[in-house]
Amino acid sequence: MPSQLYISKEKLKNVMRLIKYKGLNNLEPIPIKKINNIIFYTDGHTRAFALWKLGFKKIKVEWETEELDWELYLICIDWCKNKNISNISHLKIISHSQYKKWWIKKCEDMHKLLYPSPR
C-alpha cells in the first residue's frame, strides 16, 4: 500500500536513469511498515513505481526500523484510500513543481495542523 498520492516526473526520470546506468543492485530495498494489518511503503515510492514500470512483480523490501510519526502515515494512508490508491501502479505522475505544491505542501499543512508551533 502506498502512503503518498503522487510521483514526481523528474524524480522518476532520475531513478530510471540510475537503474539504466548503475543497474538494479544499486537500489536500496523499499522500507515498509505494518500497522493495523496494513503493510505500506514508508519511503521509496518512486523506486517502487519505476520497478513496476519495468515489469517487476516482486521487489526487495525491508522492515522500517526508524521510529517515525506513524499518526502522520496513517493519515496519508487514509488519503490514499479515499483516492482509491491501494497499489503502487495507482500513483499519478505529475511535474515536480506540482508534486511540491500538491504533495509536499499537503503534508506540511497536515503537520502544522497536528503539531502547531507554540507562540
mmCIF file of all heavy atoms in Angstrom, residues 40-71:
data_model
loop_
_atom_site.group_PDB
_atom_site.id
_atom_site.type_symbol
_atom_site.label_atom_id
_atom_site.label_comp_id
_atom_site.label_asym_id
_atom_site.label_seq_id
_atom_site.Cartn_x
_atom_site.Cartn_y
_atom_site.Cartn_z
ATOM 1 N N PHE A 40 2.543 -0.979 4.344
ATOM 2 C CA PHE A 40 2.668 0.179 3.462
ATOM 3 C C PHE A 40 4.121 0.603 3.307
ATOM 4 O O PHE A 40 4.964 0.289 4.135
ATOM 5 C CB PHE A 40 1.816 1.345 3.976
ATOM 6 C CG PHE A 40 2.175 1.814 5.368
ATOM 7 C CD1 PHE A 40 3.066 2.843 5.553
ATOM 8 C CD2 PHE A 40 1.614 1.211 6.483
ATOM 9 C CE1 PHE A 40 3.399 3.285 6.827
ATOM 10 C CE2 PHE A 40 1.937 1.631 7.759
ATOM 11 C CZ PHE A 40 2.839 2.667 7.937
ATOM 12 N N TYR A 41 4.360 1.305 2.201
ATOM 13 C CA TYR A 41 5.676 1.891 1.957
ATOM 14 C C TYR A 41 5.846 3.092 2.885
ATOM 15 O O TYR A 41 4.959 3.935 2.965
ATOM 16 C CB TYR A 41 5.805 2.401 0.521
ATOM 17 C CG TYR A 41 5.666 1.367 -0.555
ATOM 18 C CD1 TYR A 41 4.538 1.329 -1.367
ATOM 19 C CD2 TYR A 41 6.673 0.437 -0.788
ATOM 20 C CE1 TYR A 41 4.417 0.389 -2.382
ATOM 21 C CE2 TYR A 41 6.556 -0.504 -1.796
ATOM 22 C CZ TYR A 41 5.423 -0.520 -2.590
ATOM 23 O OH TYR A 41 5.302 -1.448 -3.598
ATOM 24 N N THR A 42 7.002 3.184 3.532
ATOM 25 C CA THR A 42 7.292 4.374 4.316
ATOM 26 C C THR A 42 8.146 5.361 3.515
ATOM 27 O O THR A 42 8.232 6.524 3.863
ATOM 28 C CB THR A 42 8.034 4.027 5.625
ATOM 29 O OG1 THR A 42 9.296 3.432 5.317
ATOM 30 C CG2 THR A 42 7.196 3.087 6.478
ATOM 31 N N ASP A 43 8.745 4.869 2.446
ATOM 32 C CA ASP A 43 9.598 5.679 1.579
ATOM 33 C C ASP A 43 9.812 4.859 0.305
ATOM 34 O O ASP A 43 9.354 3.726 0.208
ATOM 35 C CB ASP A 43 10.933 5.965 2.280
ATOM 36 C CG ASP A 43 11.750 7.034 1.577
ATOM 37 O OD1 ASP A 43 11.171 7.871 0.851
ATOM 38 O OD2 ASP A 43 12.985 7.035 1.739
ATOM 39 N N GLY A 44 10.484 5.440 -0.667
ATOM 40 C CA GLY A 44 10.855 4.678 -1.850
ATOM 41 C C GLY A 44 9.747 4.483 -2.867
ATOM 42 O O GLY A 44 9.842 3.608 -3.725
ATOM 43 N N HIS A 45 8.714 5.305 -2.794
ATOM 44 C CA HIS A 45 7.607 5.169 -3.745
ATOM 45 C C HIS A 45 8.073 5.303 -5.191
ATOM 46 O O HIS A 45 7.617 4.560 -6.058
ATOM 47 C CB HIS A 45 6.524 6.213 -3.457
ATOM 48 C CG HIS A 45 5.783 5.981 -2.184
ATOM 49 N ND1 HIS A 45 6.327 6.286 -0.960
ATOM 50 C CD2 HIS A 45 4.551 5.478 -1.944
ATOM 51 C CE1 HIS A 45 5.451 5.976 -0.020
ATOM 52 N NE2 HIS A 45 4.363 5.479 -0.587
ATOM 53 N N THR A 46 8.986 6.220 -5.444
ATOM 54 C CA THR A 46 9.460 6.433 -6.818
ATOM 55 C C THR A 46 10.241 5.213 -7.300
ATOM 56 O O THR A 46 10.063 4.764 -8.436
ATOM 57 C CB THR A 46 10.316 7.708 -6.904
ATOM 58 O OG1 THR A 46 9.559 8.802 -6.376
ATOM 59 C CG2 THR A 46 10.713 8.011 -8.344
ATOM 60 N N ARG A 47 11.083 4.655 -6.441
ATOM 61 C CA ARG A 47 11.823 3.440 -6.817
ATOM 62 C C ARG A 47 10.867 2.283 -7.077
ATOM 63 O O ARG A 47 11.017 1.547 -8.062
ATOM 64 C CB ARG A 47 12.818 3.056 -5.723
ATOM 65 C CG ARG A 47 14.024 3.977 -5.682
ATOM 66 C CD ARG A 47 14.952 3.623 -4.546
ATOM 67 N NE ARG A 47 14.365 4.144 -3.306
ATOM 68 C CZ ARG A 47 14.478 3.584 -2.117
ATOM 69 N NH1 ARG A 47 15.156 2.458 -1.964
ATOM 70 N NH2 ARG A 47 13.938 4.129 -1.058
ATOM 71 N N ALA A 48 9.879 2.127 -6.201
ATOM 72 C CA ALA A 48 8.901 1.036 -6.375
ATOM 73 C C ALA A 48 8.109 1.229 -7.668
ATOM 74 O O ALA A 48 7.869 0.267 -8.408
ATOM 75 C CB ALA A 48 7.959 0.981 -5.175
ATOM 76 N N PHE A 49 7.723 2.465 -7.957
ATOM 77 C CA PHE A 49 6.971 2.760 -9.174
ATOM 78 C C PHE A 49 7.822 2.459 -10.411
ATOM 79 O O PHE A 49 7.339 1.863 -11.379
ATOM 80 C CB PHE A 49 6.515 4.220 -9.172
ATOM 81 C CG PHE A 49 5.538 4.546 -10.268
ATOM 82 C CD1 PHE A 49 4.178 4.394 -10.062
ATOM 83 C CD2 PHE A 49 5.979 5.005 -11.496
ATOM 84 C CE1 PHE A 49 3.270 4.690 -11.068
ATOM 85 C CE2 PHE A 49 5.087 5.311 -12.508
ATOM 86 C CZ PHE A 49 3.716 5.155 -12.295
ATOM 87 N N ALA A 50 9.093 2.859 -10.367
ATOM 88 C CA ALA A 50 9.999 2.602 -11.500
ATOM 89 C C ALA A 50 10.125 1.105 -11.752
ATOM 90 O O ALA A 50 10.065 0.659 -12.906
ATOM 91 C CB ALA A 50 11.372 3.220 -11.220
ATOM 92 N N LEU A 51 10.276 0.339 -10.705
ATOM 93 C CA LEU A 51 10.396 -1.111 -10.864
ATOM 94 C C LEU A 51 9.102 -1.709 -11.413
ATOM 95 O O LEU A 51 9.133 -2.601 -12.259
ATOM 96 C CB LEU A 51 10.782 -1.758 -9.530
ATOM 97 C CG LEU A 51 12.203 -1.406 -9.061
ATOM 98 C CD1 LEU A 51 12.421 -1.861 -7.629
ATOM 99 C CD2 LEU A 51 13.248 -1.999 -9.992
ATOM 100 N N TRP A 52 7.961 -1.201 -10.965
ATOM 101 C CA TRP A 52 6.685 -1.654 -11.514
ATOM 102 C C TRP A 52 6.615 -1.334 -13.013
ATOM 103 O O TRP A 52 6.223 -2.180 -13.812
ATOM 104 C CB TRP A 52 5.520 -1.005 -10.763
ATOM 105 C CG TRP A 52 4.220 -1.229 -11.445
ATOM 106 C CD1 TRP A 52 3.474 -2.379 -11.457
ATOM 107 C CD2 TRP A 52 3.532 -0.295 -12.280
ATOM 108 N NE1 TRP A 52 2.350 -2.202 -12.235
ATOM 109 C CE2 TRP A 52 2.366 -0.931 -12.756
ATOM 110 C CE3 TRP A 52 3.782 1.026 -12.663
ATOM 111 C CZ2 TRP A 52 1.464 -0.303 -13.595
ATOM 112 C CZ3 TRP A 52 2.879 1.651 -13.486
ATOM 113 C CH2 TRP A 52 1.740 0.989 -13.953
ATOM 114 N N LYS A 53 7.014 -0.111 -13.385
ATOM 115 C CA LYS A 53 7.010 0.287 -14.803
ATOM 116 C C LYS A 53 7.911 -0.619 -15.635
ATOM 117 O O LYS A 53 7.634 -0.846 -16.809
ATOM 118 C CB LYS A 53 7.465 1.740 -14.974
ATOM 119 C CG LYS A 53 6.538 2.799 -14.454
ATOM 120 C CD LYS A 53 5.397 3.102 -15.357
ATOM 121 C CE LYS A 53 5.821 3.939 -16.535
ATOM 122 N NZ LYS A 53 4.721 4.238 -17.429
ATOM 123 N N LEU A 54 8.972 -1.122 -15.035
ATOM 124 C CA LEU A 54 9.898 -2.003 -15.737
ATOM 125 C C LEU A 54 9.412 -3.457 -15.759
ATOM 126 O O LEU A 54 10.088 -4.323 -16.289
ATOM 127 C CB LEU A 54 11.292 -1.921 -15.108
ATOM 128 C CG LEU A 54 12.009 -0.587 -15.319
ATOM 129 C CD1 LEU A 54 13.267 -0.520 -14.470
ATOM 130 C CD2 LEU A 54 12.336 -0.376 -16.798
ATOM 131 N N GLY A 55 8.258 -3.700 -15.166
ATOM 132 C CA GLY A 55 7.654 -5.031 -15.237
ATOM 133 C C GLY A 55 7.919 -5.959 -14.064
ATOM 134 O O GLY A 55 7.527 -7.128 -14.099
ATOM 135 N N PHE A 56 8.558 -5.442 -13.022
ATOM 136 C CA PHE A 56 8.829 -6.300 -11.869
ATOM 137 C C PHE A 56 7.549 -6.580 -11.089
ATOM 138 O O PHE A 56 6.755 -5.681 -10.834
ATOM 139 C CB PHE A 56 9.869 -5.641 -10.947
ATOM 140 C CG PHE A 56 11.251 -5.700 -11.500
ATOM 141 C CD1 PHE A 56 11.679 -4.756 -12.425
ATOM 142 C CD2 PHE A 56 12.111 -6.706 -11.117
ATOM 143 C CE1 PHE A 56 12.953 -4.811 -12.956
ATOM 144 C CE2 PHE A 56 13.391 -6.769 -11.641
ATOM 145 C CZ PHE A 56 13.812 -5.827 -12.566
ATOM 146 N N LYS A 57 7.373 -7.837 -10.718
ATOM 147 C CA LYS A 57 6.224 -8.253 -9.913
ATOM 148 C C LYS A 57 6.597 -8.321 -8.436
ATOM 149 O O LYS A 57 5.754 -8.247 -7.566
ATOM 150 C CB LYS A 57 5.705 -9.622 -10.365
ATOM 151 C CG LYS A 57 5.315 -9.676 -11.823
ATOM 152 C CD LYS A 57 3.999 -9.000 -12.067
ATOM 153 C CE LYS A 57 3.569 -9.226 -13.505
ATOM 154 N NZ LYS A 57 3.157 -8.045 -14.172
ATOM 155 N N LYS A 58 7.894 -8.504 -8.170
ATOM 156 C CA LYS A 58 8.410 -8.566 -6.803
ATOM 157 C C LYS A 58 9.585 -7.602 -6.703
ATOM 158 O O LYS A 58 10.358 -7.462 -7.649
ATOM 159 C CB LYS A 58 8.886 -9.975 -6.462
ATOM 160 C CG LYS A 58 7.778 -10.999 -6.402
ATOM 161 C CD LYS A 58 8.338 -12.353 -6.016
ATOM 162 C CE LYS A 58 7.229 -13.380 -5.953
ATOM 163 N NZ LYS A 58 7.732 -14.686 -5.523
ATOM 164 N N ILE A 59 9.694 -6.950 -5.536
ATOM 165 C CA ILE A 59 10.804 -6.034 -5.297
ATOM 166 C C ILE A 59 11.389 -6.309 -3.917
ATOM 167 O O ILE A 59 10.736 -6.911 -3.061
ATOM 168 C CB ILE A 59 10.370 -4.556 -5.418
ATOM 169 C CG1 ILE A 59 9.301 -4.206 -4.389
ATOM 170 C CG2 ILE A 59 9.885 -4.249 -6.835
ATOM 171 C CD1 ILE A 59 8.919 -2.744 -4.347
ATOM 172 N N LYS A 60 12.607 -5.859 -3.713
ATOM 173 C CA LYS A 60 13.248 -6.005 -2.410
ATOM 174 C C LYS A 60 12.665 -4.980 -1.444
ATOM 175 O O LYS A 60 12.607 -3.786 -1.757
ATOM 176 C CB LYS A 60 14.759 -5.786 -2.511
ATOM 177 C CG LYS A 60 15.487 -6.863 -3.253
ATOM 178 C CD LYS A 60 16.974 -6.558 -3.254
ATOM 179 C CE LYS A 60 17.726 -7.527 -4.126
ATOM 180 N NZ LYS A 60 19.153 -7.192 -4.183
ATOM 181 N N VAL A 61 12.244 -5.456 -0.289
ATOM 182 C CA VAL A 61 11.744 -4.580 0.763
ATOM 183 C C VAL A 61 12.458 -4.927 2.062
ATOM 184 O O VAL A 61 13.083 -5.977 2.185
ATOM 185 C CB VAL A 61 10.207 -4.701 0.944
ATOM 186 C CG1 VAL A 61 9.470 -4.270 -0.311
ATOM 187 C CG2 VAL A 61 9.797 -6.098 1.364
ATOM 188 N N GLU A 62 12.352 -4.023 3.017
ATOM 189 C CA GLU A 62 12.872 -4.282 4.357
ATOM 190 C C GLU A 62 11.965 -3.587 5.362
ATOM 191 O O GLU A 62 11.337 -2.574 5.044
ATOM 192 C CB GLU A 62 14.316 -3.789 4.505
ATOM 193 C CG GLU A 62 14.468 -2.285 4.385
ATOM 194 C CD GLU A 62 15.913 -1.823 4.435
ATOM 195 O OE1 GLU A 62 16.823 -2.674 4.423
ATOM 196 O OE2 GLU A 62 16.126 -0.603 4.488
ATOM 197 N N TRP A 63 11.850 -4.164 6.539
ATOM 198 C CA TRP A 63 11.010 -3.568 7.568
ATOM 199 C C TRP A 63 11.631 -2.269 8.060
ATOM 200 O O TRP A 63 12.843 -2.211 8.295
ATOM 201 C CB TRP A 63 10.805 -4.531 8.733
ATOM 202 C CG TRP A 63 9.969 -5.703 8.353
ATOM 203 C CD1 TRP A 63 10.388 -6.985 8.175
ATOM 204 C CD2 TRP A 63 8.562 -5.694 8.052
ATOM 205 N NE1 TRP A 63 9.330 -7.775 7.787
ATOM 206 C CE2 TRP A 63 8.189 -7.012 7.705
ATOM 207 C CE3 TRP A 63 7.578 -4.706 8.037
ATOM 208 C CZ2 TRP A 63 6.896 -7.373 7.361
ATOM 209 C CZ3 TRP A 63 6.279 -5.057 7.689
ATOM 210 C CH2 TRP A 63 5.952 -6.368 7.365
ATOM 211 N N GLU A 64 10.820 -1.259 8.169
ATOM 212 C CA GLU A 64 11.254 0.049 8.674
ATOM 213 C C GLU A 64 11.672 -0.113 10.129
ATOM 214 O O GLU A 64 10.919 -0.662 10.939
ATOM 215 C CB GLU A 64 10.105 1.053 8.570
ATOM 216 C CG GLU A 64 10.421 2.438 9.072
ATOM 217 C CD GLU A 64 11.480 3.128 8.246
ATOM 218 O OE1 GLU A 64 11.190 3.470 7.090
ATOM 219 O OE2 GLU A 64 12.593 3.346 8.763
ATOM 220 N N THR A 65 12.868 0.360 10.464
ATOM 221 C CA THR A 65 13.357 0.260 11.837
ATOM 222 C C THR A 65 13.357 1.603 12.560
ATOM 223 O O THR A 65 13.496 1.641 13.774
ATOM 224 C CB THR A 65 14.786 -0.332 11.865
ATOM 225 O OG1 THR A 65 15.645 0.506 11.068
ATOM 226 C CG2 THR A 65 14.803 -1.751 11.326
ATOM 227 N N GLU A 66 13.213 2.672 11.811
ATOM 228 C CA GLU A 66 13.172 4.001 12.419
ATOM 229 C C GLU A 66 11.830 4.211 13.114
ATOM 230 O O GLU A 66 10.802 3.706 12.667
ATOM 231 C CB GLU A 66 13.335 5.088 11.347
ATOM 232 C CG GLU A 66 14.644 5.044 10.606
ATOM 233 C CD GLU A 66 15.814 5.477 11.459
ATOM 234 O OE1 GLU A 66 15.658 6.433 12.247
ATOM 235 O OE2 GLU A 66 16.875 4.837 11.350
ATOM 236 N N GLU A 67 11.842 4.968 14.187
ATOM 237 C CA GLU A 67 10.591 5.359 14.829
ATOM 238 C C GLU A 67 10.150 6.665 14.185
ATOM 239 O O GLU A 67 10.726 7.712 14.440
ATOM 240 C CB GLU A 67 10.768 5.520 16.346
ATOM 241 C CG GLU A 67 10.639 4.221 17.089
ATOM 242 C CD GLU A 67 9.346 3.460 16.767
ATOM 243 O OE1 GLU A 67 8.254 4.060 16.794
ATOM 244 O OE2 GLU A 67 9.433 2.257 16.484
ATOM 245 N N LEU A 68 9.161 6.566 13.336
ATOM 246 C CA LEU A 68 8.657 7.725 12.607
ATOM 247 C C LEU A 68 7.311 8.134 13.182
ATOM 248 O O LEU A 68 6.785 7.477 14.077
ATOM 249 C CB LEU A 68 8.546 7.384 11.119
ATOM 250 C CG LEU A 68 9.846 6.933 10.451
ATOM 251 C CD1 LEU A 68 9.592 6.471 9.032
ATOM 252 C CD2 LEU A 68 10.878 8.054 10.486
ATOM 253 N N ASP A 69 6.761 9.214 12.688
ATOM 254 C CA ASP A 69 5.458 9.687 13.154
ATOM 255 C C ASP A 69 4.373 8.871 12.473
ATOM 256 O O ASP A 69 3.887 9.226 11.392
ATOM 257 C CB ASP A 69 5.294 11.180 12.863
ATOM 258 C CG ASP A 69 4.086 11.761 13.546
ATOM 259 O OD1 ASP A 69 3.117 11.016 13.806
ATOM 260 O OD2 ASP A 69 4.098 12.964 13.836
ATOM 261 N N TRP A 70 3.982 7.777 13.082
ATOM 262 C CA TRP A 70 3.050 6.844 12.457
ATOM 263 C C TRP A 70 1.653 7.433 12.327
ATOM 264 O O TRP A 70 0.909 7.055 11.428
ATOM 265 C CB TRP A 70 3.047 5.507 13.209
ATOM 266 C CG TRP A 70 4.420 4.908 13.204
ATOM 267 C CD1 TRP A 70 5.179 4.587 14.287
ATOM 268 C CD2 TRP A 70 5.226 4.601 12.057
ATOM 269 N NE1 TRP A 70 6.405 4.091 13.885
ATOM 270 C CE2 TRP A 70 6.455 4.096 12.520
ATOM 271 C CE3 TRP A 70 5.033 4.714 10.680
ATOM 272 C CZ2 TRP A 70 7.477 3.681 11.658
ATOM 273 C CZ3 TRP A 70 6.053 4.313 9.826
ATOM 274 C CH2 TRP A 70 7.254 3.814 10.317
ATOM 275 N N GLU A 71 1.296 8.394 13.179
ATOM 276 C CA GLU A 71 -0.004 9.052 13.036
ATOM 277 C C GLU A 71 -0.091 9.775 11.687
ATOM 278 O O GLU A 71 -1.101 9.707 10.991
ATOM 279 C CB GLU A 71 -0.234 10.042 14.180
ATOM 280 C CG GLU A 71 -1.589 10.726 14.119
ATOM 281 C CD GLU A 71 -1.822 11.674 15.275
ATOM 282 O OE1 GLU A 71 -0.919 11.891 16.112
ATOM 283 O OE2 GLU A 71 -2.936 12.237 15.331
#
